[in-house]
């Protein structure tokens, strides 16, 4: 029974670690996307002032 407790604790720990890694990966992707969008907006604003 003790082995089962250790095993389940290990599995839960692995799940939690995987969840944290996925969350960090998603947050990183979101921040990269935000940078891309703001860069695109800057280009559009520059183009608008150029056209005027």
């Amino acid at each position: 029974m003790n082995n089962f407790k250790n095993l389940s604790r290990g599995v839960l720990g692995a799940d939690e670690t995987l969840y944290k890694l996925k969350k960090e990966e998603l947050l990183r992707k979101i921040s990269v996307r935000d940078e891309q969008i703001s860069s695109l907006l800057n280009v559009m604003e520059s183009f608008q002032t150029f056209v005027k």
Side-chain angles (χ1 to χ4, degrees):
M1 192 65 180
N2 204 14
N3 284 342
F4 179 73
K5 281 184 180 178
N6 289 338
L7 181 64
S8 61
R9 201 174 295 137
V11 168
L12 289 175
D15 281 351
E16 192 175 328
T17 303
L18 190 61
Y19 170 77
K20 286 179 183 175
L21 287 174
K22 286 286 184 190
K23 182 179 173 185
E24 289 172 10
E25 181 183 350
L26 284 174
L27 289 174
R28 219 179 354 253
K29 285 181 179 178
I30 289 172
S31 76
V32 165
R33 193 65 42 89
D34 282 350
E35 290 172 20
Q36 290 173 339
I37 289 172
S38 65
S39 148
L40 180 62
L41 287 174
N42 288 338
V43 168
M44 289 170 64
E45 287 173 3
S46 300
F47 184 72
Q48 276 184 330
T49 56
F50 176 74
V51 170
K52 287 181 183 177

